[in-house]
Amino acid sequence: MSTVLVFGHKNPDTDTICSALAYAELKKKLGMDAEAIRLGEVNGETQYALDHFRVKAPRLVERVSDEVNSVILVDHNEFQQSAEDIEDVRILEVVDHHRIANFQTADALYYRAEPVGCTATILLKLYKEHGVEIAPDMAGLMLSAIISDSLLFKSPTCTDEDIKAAKELAAISGTDIETYGLEMLKAGADLSQKTIPELISLDAKEFAMGDYRIEIAQVNTVDANDVLSRKAEVEAAMAVKMLDKELDLFVFAITNILTNDSEALVVGKKTDLFEQAFNVKLVDGLATLPGVVSRKKQIVPVLTAAATN
């Protein structure tokens, strides 16, 4: 049996990496020759989780079709967020918690998408459905994914299912959720050593919204000035990426995990679309978004509605 690669989106976050590892482990226990890989660099938050639970990061792969014929996607489905050659391989399965867009396959597949805050919450159900015991290290990684995606249960994407799953996984892994979760989030919020290109690429996703191509990047911090003190350099790097990728708009959300607000730095020819969507006026390319912490639930749907109306 040929190997099947399991991976999440480009610019991987904690859910992407941890869910790829946990699902590959489940598939292996069910008899599949599966390997978790990644499509980008591991961020500080995710590395903290991997180190804490003593799990090695998946290896980096740039072109999946050079290695395999079949793949499994976790934590994404939109082709522009996936491997560059995703259309050259067969997608066997998708496990995701995002909208479905720009996705098509030539063959039937297993598709599991649920309106929960984290892919790992769905994976816990899959382990149970198959009667497979979760190892403590995998439980710890899955817990880390839920903490990350829910911002320790403060994000509007967080559901009762996510909280229930987190408590169950914490028990399996022997983890104190509050203590560990805050330390993990703080590890991800330390931006002091990040270069400007790293800042705008750490957690960036491209979306097709109506006739527009829009990139939305996000970083978590405990002080927005860690980024805004370098505002001119950040804007210049955003402008370069816009030209390279032929984007219509680039939104960079700087989210404060202590106040649960975001500062949005916006560049592009469709900045008026952003102003219309959020009913704000950009001042020197910047706007405050009170209570906005979730790209998935509070930014993407609002921009999509504005772009398609």
Side-chain angles (χ1 to χ4, degrees):
M1 182 184 298
S2 59
T3 301
V4 174
L5 298 181
V6 182
F7 55 89
H9 54 76
K10 297 174 185 174
N11 304 314
D13 56 16
T14 301
D15 188 22
T16 277
I17 296 291
C18 294
S19 287
L21 286 163
Y23 199 39
E25 183 68 15
L26 173 59
K27 300 306 289 187
K28 284 188 282 188
K29 289 184 176 180
L30 295 174
M32 177 183 284
D33 181 8
E35 180 193 0
I37 63 159
R38 56 186 169 91
L39 301 181
E41 297 305 314
V42 176
N43 65 38
E45 177 190 279
T46 308
Q47 192 62 56
Y48 181 91
L50 292 169
D51 291 344
H52 185 88
F53 294 104
R54 299 181 181 180
V55 178
K56 185 179 178 181
R59 66 186 178 93
L60 177 66
V61 173
E62 296 188 356
R63 288 185 52 83
V64 293
S65 64
D66 291 344
E67 299 191 18
V68 298
N69 297 316
S70 302
V71 301
I72 292 174
L73 309 185
V74 297
D75 197 33
H76 77 297
N77 66 82
E78 299 187 49
F79 280 6
Q80 73 272 14
Q81 297 174 10
S82 198
E84 296 294 345
D85 56 342
I86 190 64
E87 295 185 69
D88 297 330
V89 292
R90 180 183 178 186
I91 301 172
L92 296 179
E93 302 181 26
V94 176
V95 182
D96 192 19
H97 66 123
H98 296 94
R99 70 175 191 172
I100 301 172
N102 309 308
F103 178 85
Q104 63 281 326
T105 62
D107 303 291
L109 75 162
Y110 176 84
Y111 200 111
R112 181 76 168 260
E114 296 188 20
V116 293
C118 182
T119 308
T121 300
I122 307 171
L123 296 186
L124 176 59
K125 295 181 184 180
L126 288 169
Y127 267 88
K128 289 181 174 180
E129 289 167 12
H130 288 286
V132 175
E133 183 177 348
I134 305 174
D137 58 351
M138 289 298 113
L141 293 184
M142 292 162 70
L143 169 64
S144 302
I146 296 173
I147 290 171
S148 175
D149 270 9
S150 72
L151 281 179
L152 202 51
F153 314 135
K154 293 178 182 177
S155 171
T157 61
C158 185
T159 68
D160 290 341
E161 289 188 57
D162 297 299
I163 297 172
K164 181 181 177 182
K167 289 179 179 178
E168 187 171 337
L169 292 163
I172 296 171
S173 61
T175 306
D176 181 285
I177 295 177
E178 291 295 328
T179 301
Y180 168 75
L182 187 57
E183 290 304 312
M184 187 192 80
L185 291 176
K186 284 182 177 178
D190 181 6
L191 306 176
S192 60
Q193 302 302 313
K194 301 299 181 186
T195 66
I196 299 299
E198 286 174 336
L199 280 176
I200 65 172
S201 302
L202 276 173
D203 185 6
K205 291 183 179 180
E206 183 185 327
F207 299 88
M209 300 180 183
D211 296 327
Y212 308 117
R213 295 180 63 185
I214 298 175
E215 182 131 320
I216 305 172
Q218 185 175 26
V219 292
N220 293 333
T221 184
V222 294
D223 185 354
N225 286 324
D226 288 347
V227 177
L228 295 180
S229 62
R230 296 184 275 174
K231 180 173 176 289
E233 297 171 84
V234 172
E235 287 177 315
M238 291 169 67
V240 169
K241 182 172 277 195
M242 281 198 59
L243 288 173
D244 289 345
K245 300 183 72 173
E246 298 183 344
L247 301 171
D248 297 290
L249 189 68
F250 194 147
V251 178
F252 184 29
I254 306 156
T255 300
N256 189 313
I257 62 173
L258 300 181
T259 64
N260 293 325
D261 298 321
S262 291
E263 298 292 332
L265 193 55
V266 186
V267 172
K269 60 187 178 183
K270 295 302 297 181
T271 54
D272 59 318
L273 186 68
F274 181 90
E275 292 180 318
Q276 173 193 336
F278 291 95
N279 192 28
V280 296
K281 183 67 177 177
L282 291 166
V283 178
D284 197 19
L286 192 66
T288 300
L289 303 179
V292 172
V293 297
S294 170
R295 173 175 52 200
K296 180 179 118 176
K297 197 164 187 176
Q298 295 174 297
I299 299 179
V300 172
V302 179
L303 268 179
T304 300
T308 54
N309 288 339

